Amino acid sequence: MCGIVGYVGNNQAKGILVGGLRQLEYRGYDSAGIAVPDGAGGLEVVCRVGKVQALAEAVEGMELPASCGIGHTRWATHGKPSETNAHPHKDCSGKVAVVHNGIIENYAALRDELRAQGHEFVSETDTETVAHLLERYYEGDLAAAMRKTVAQLQGAYGIAAIHADHPQQIVVSRKDSPIVVGTDGSSSLVASDMVAVMDYTRDVVFLEDGQLAVLTPGSVEVQDAAGRAVEPQLTHIDWDTEAAERAGYPDFMLKEIHEQPRVVRDTVSGHLKDNKIVLEDLNLSQEDIEAIDQVYIIGCGTSYHAGLVARELIEAWARIPTRVEVASEFRYRNPIVTPSTLVIALSQSGETADTLAAVRLARSKGAKVFAVTNVMGSRITRESDGTLYVKANMEISVAATKSFLAQIACVTLIALFLAQRKGRLNSRQVVSLFHELRATPAQIEYILSDTSAIEEAAELLKDCHSAMYVGRGINATTCYEGALKLKEISYLHAEAYAAGELKHGPIALLDPSVPVVAVVTESPTRMQTLSNVQEILARGAKVIAIATEGDEDVREIADCVIYIPPVRDCFSAITASVPLQLLARSVALKRGCDVDHPRNLAKSVTVE
Ligand code: AGP
């Protein structure tokens, strides 16, 4: 949550900071602000409530020639969105400015202490304490003041600070919040995400917890908590920058939905060699695999849903008992995890606080933890025993789409890998399933080629107050994800149920004003789901069905049918998810919503 950016170099900073904030806007868009030296021994701070565009308009005509500065785009935690609460925050002298991502847990005690010493606070934020602590400790060396300041902090932080007395320097520190720094030899940058640095350099440093970095034009010096210089660990970013552009699409969500055939292809490619599924990065010996007696999958939101798909496949093919749990619950329980448990942690961003805490808990119990993530160098990759990267490339839209399909492709590979290595499926079966998985991108392309039925379905949904989604087996999960997408971006209430559960309570909600989306694709339980559809229709509710092409039974009873090409049931979560993503987007647009920036949400949830 929150995005921070900093630039120091030879060019004017304001445009670069605003550009960086635009790229980080997915992390929060309650307010945005920048701070730059004013050339007269002080600092100029400009903040606006709302999206970065409001800030861009504010600074456009302003005379801000400085070639150093910091910026912030906020997802509010402490204090409502307002200009007073917007970052950067200053100290009493007005010489220090700070941007922060994270939560300072002991801010109230620190603030009381600082107030007692005469410091005056103007905002309700936890961050302002950092500015006043820097003021308290500053004796001519901002890095030294930062070291003393962070020693007082409890909680999570990625901090960047500037001081008016050092107009060509930024000092940065982090704990449990991502910070990436880099330089192209003349310009040096810091950001919460490499996307805001990539235009300058592809070789970046992900700061470790407790490290500080001092940025000056063309130089990034990394220090440990004691101030000793540390040899920076460079990571090369190979993401393609086109991902940061809409490339002619009206919004990132649509662009990312259309990227899915490529994403699934890239994620799967190269993992079948000599009729064997190879996942070298899992780093598991045959002995390790034989010892696995249960799999635990953890994740949040959409990643949790991909975990539910994983459970279906791992249990069906590898016959290993598999549990799936939301990380925010897992981390506070005492889950039955042992050294023979394989834990798979799913996280697009690799920075989700609850998932990271769950990873730590699982490892403390002796389990091997493998991360499935999209973001190179993200925190989860450093906290896990191994990492499998999904090849989604940068996902900008807050509503996850392409990363979900990439996660499903990735966990499908893991399920096939375990099944083969456990001897539950033979090579012929594995190869045949792999080829079917590899055929799904073409089916997604086909679905994307004609969306007229989806538009028709969106008309049925757009004015309702509540919608229900039902499906069975793997497609109960597809429904959970479809309903989440609708809630996130159209603000319509939606609930998803395993279709057989309807009659145990939720059917009481049905009447002609509550449309139901039913996934009734070809599967061993299609007939049972069709009976549930009849029960729904008998209550007067309208039914939008996702069905397999050629299914005339469904056409006869449903109010609207979205056909998708035939696939084996185990792969239908990949194909059936696509119309549900498009449906949510279309409903949201018809309701006038901004699909890429849903209210109250942020792409990376780095707080509990
Ligand atoms: C998806 O549309 C959501 N915005 C959200 O549920 C997300 O999947 C969740 O916060 C987990 O994020 P992660 O995959 O980056 O850990």
Side-chain angles (χ1 to χ4, degrees):
M1 332 291 261
C2 300
I4 70 174
V5 66
Y7 170 85
V8 54
N10 304 321
N11 300 313
Q12 192 183 24
K14 76 170 182 184
I16 297 167
L17 295 173
V18 169
L21 292 178
R22 283 190 200 281
Q23 286 170 310
L24 297 174
E25 197 165 31
Y26 71 85
R27 301 180 71 89
Y29 28 84
D30 288 332
S31 64
I34 61 168
V36 295
D38 65 5
L43 299 174
E44 182 83 52
V45 175
V46 187
C47 298
R48 288 295 179 271
V49 173
K51 295 190 183 149
V52 175
Q53 180 57 25
L55 174 71
E57 286 163 16
V59 297
E60 199 180 304
M62 291 176 83
E63 193 57 28
L64 298 170
S67 58
C68 172
I70 52 177
H72 187 271
T73 181
R74 179 167 187 244
W75 188 83
T77 56
H78 294 65
K80 62 182 185 302
S82 68
E83 277 190 24
T84 314
N85 288 330
H87 302 215
H89 289 287
K90 291 206 277 188
D91 67 335
C92 306
S93 72
K95 289 202 152 213
V96 176
V98 170
V99 288
H100 163 227
N101 168 33
I103 290 182
I104 309 298
E105 286 163 4
N106 58 337
Y107 84 100
L110 289 170
R111 189 190 50 203
D112 292 349
E113 186 187 313
L114 287 156
R115 271 189 181 143
Q117 291 172 352
H119 290 266
E120 282 180 20
F121 282 72
V122 294
S123 78
E124 302 160 272
T125 66
D126 51 340
T127 303
E128 198 184 339
T129 50
V130 179
H132 292 285
L133 283 171
L134 284 168
E135 179 184 17
R136 173 160 92 181
Y137 292 122
Y138 180 74
E139 290 173 350
D141 180 346
L142 187 58
M146 182 68 90
R147 276 196 297 281
K148 289 182 183 155
T149 295
V150 296
Q152 302 294 310
L153 305 181
Q154 287 163 17
Y157 51 83
I159 298 169
I162 54 174
H163 195 291
D165 292 349
H166 308 274
Q168 286 280 273
Q169 186 192 65
I170 303 172
V171 175
V172 181
S173 183
R174 68 154 270 169
K175 181 177 162 277
D176 292 342
S177 284
I179 285 282
V180 58
V181 289
T183 180
D184 66 1
S186 58
S187 298
S188 302
L189 291 103
V190 51
S192 303
D193 184 331
M194 58 193 175
V195 18
V197 174
M198 276 162 56
D199 284 345
Y200 291 83
T201 177
R202 292 312 188 96
D203 295 306
V204 299
V205 179
F206 294 98
L207 280 198
E208 297 289 340
D209 274 354
Q211 288 184 335
L212 260 75
V214 179
L215 281 66
T216 50
S219 154
V220 172
E221 190 191 319
V222 180
Q223 303 175 355
D224 65 13
R228 289 178 295 247
V230 171
E231 188 59 38
Q233 294 284 312
L234 287 180
T235 302
H236 184 74
I237 311 166
D238 59 6
W239 272 4
D240 108 47
T241 39
E242 277 173 25
E245 310 295 330
R246 281 205 298 268
Y249 287 93
D251 48 77
F252 280 107
M253 184 177 182
L254 187 63
K255 175 179 178 248
E256 289 164 2
I257 289 171
H258 276 261
E259 283 178 79
Q260 294 183 118
R262 199 255 322 136
V263 162
V264 173
R265 248 179 227 122
D266 288 356
T267 300
V268 167
S269 139
H271 289 293
L272 183 73
K273 287 183 193 146
D274 301 327
N275 296 336
K276 285 196 176 67
I277 301 293
V278 284
L279 295 174
E280 278 143 7
D281 297 334
L282 275 192
N283 235 341
L284 281 176
S285 68
Q286 188 58 30
E287 208 183 357
D288 291 335
I289 293 168
E290 269 154 28
I292 297 169
D293 59 8
Q294 73 162 340
V295 176
Y296 231 121
I297 303 176
I298 45 185
C300 302
T302 293
S303 294
Y304 165 72
H305 294 154
L308 294 174
V309 175
R311 179 181 62 194
E312 294 286 324
L313 301 181
I314 294 171
E315 291 203 335
W317 294 337
R319 309 299 297 156
I320 309 173
T322 302
R323 302 181 193 201
V324 193
E325 203 162 318
V326 288
S328 53
E329 289 295 315
F330 179 95
R331 65 178 290 191
Y332 289 117
R333 292 199 310 115
N334 184 10
I336 304 172
V337 169
T338 68
S340 55
T341 306
L342 171 67
V343 176
I344 302 171
L346 298 170
S347 175
Q348 184 284 132
S349 62
E351 300 290 347
T352 300
D354 287 322
T355 309
L356 291 170
V359 165
R360 283 175 213 133
L361 176 68
R363 289 189 83 196
S364 74
K365 289 173 172 283
K368 271 214 156 89
V369 178
F370 291 101
V372 174
T373 186
N374 188 32
V375 181
M376 213 187 312
S378 56
R379 177 120 200 122
I380 206 166
T381 66
R382 283 172 283 149
E383 299 231 5
S384 304
D385 295 289
T387 301
L388 284 176
Y389 284 104
V390 302
K391 302 283 172 54
N393 211 332
M394 193 188 312
E395 188 175 61
I396 306 257
S397 185
V398 169
T401 54
K402 62 176 180 171
S403 63
F404 179 58
L405 258 59
Q407 286 172 333
I408 296 180
C410 199
V411 297
T412 306
L413 290 173
I414 295 175
L416 287 173
F417 172 82
L418 292 172
Q420 188 167 37
R421 296 288 287 271
K422 283 260 189 198
R424 309 275 200 251
L425 293 181
N426 62 36
S427 294
R428 192 181 45 75
Q429 292 168 309
V430 166
V431 170
S432 146
L433 287 164
F434 181 84
H435 287 314
E436 285 181 50
L437 171 63
R438 220 165 41 184
T440 57
Q443 286 148 343
I444 302 169
E445 271 156 9
Y446 180 77
I447 294 166
L448 293 171
S449 68
D450 179 5
T451 57
S452 48
I454 295 169
E455 289 304 315
E456 195 190 317
E459 282 295 321
L460 284 179
L461 278 178
K462 73 175 190 347
D463 297 317
C464 73
H465 59 90
S466 183
M468 211 174 273
Y469 285 61
V470 294
R472 282 174 185 255
I474 210 158
N475 280 312
T477 300
T478 312
C479 289
Y480 300 143
E481 176 60 12
L484 175 65
K485 288 286 92 85
L486 191 75
K487 284 183 269 206
E488 279 186 298
I489 60 170
S490 76
Y491 317 139
L492 271 177
H493 174 253
E495 289 306 327
Y497 292 95
E501 273 298 289
L502 217 57
K503 57 187 172 295
H504 298 290
I507 200 164
L509 294 169
L510 294 186
D511 66 29
S513 71
V514 181
V516 179
V517 178
V519 180
V520 210
T521 46
E522 200 50 58
S523 81
T525 52
R526 174 179 161 277
M527 286 312 295
Q528 285 82 351
T529 314
L530 266 185
S531 303
N532 300 135
V533 168
Q534 294 286 12
E535 292 155 12
I536 293 163
L537 291 165
R539 270 74 194 175
K542 291 206 164 22
V543 170
I544 296 160
I546 313 284
T548 309
E549 258 175 1
D551 188 334
E552 290 305 318
D553 300 340
V554 175
R555 191 194 293 280
E556 273 172 30
I557 57 172
D559 296 276
C560 173
V561 187
I562 302 166
Y563 281 116
I564 60 173
V567 281
R568 200 196 282 253
D569 187 38
C570 54
F571 298 120
S572 61
I574 297 180
T575 48
S577 293
V578 178
L580 295 185
Q581 296 166 343
L582 289 165
L583 181 61
R585 175 182 172 276
S586 178
V587 172
L589 290 177
K590 287 181 196 297
R591 291 169 62 81
C593 304
D594 176 346
V595 295
D596 282 339
H597 300 110
R599 70 184 180 206
N600 304 341
L601 298 179
K603 185 83 182 154
S604 308
V605 185
T606 55
V607 294
E608 270 188 55

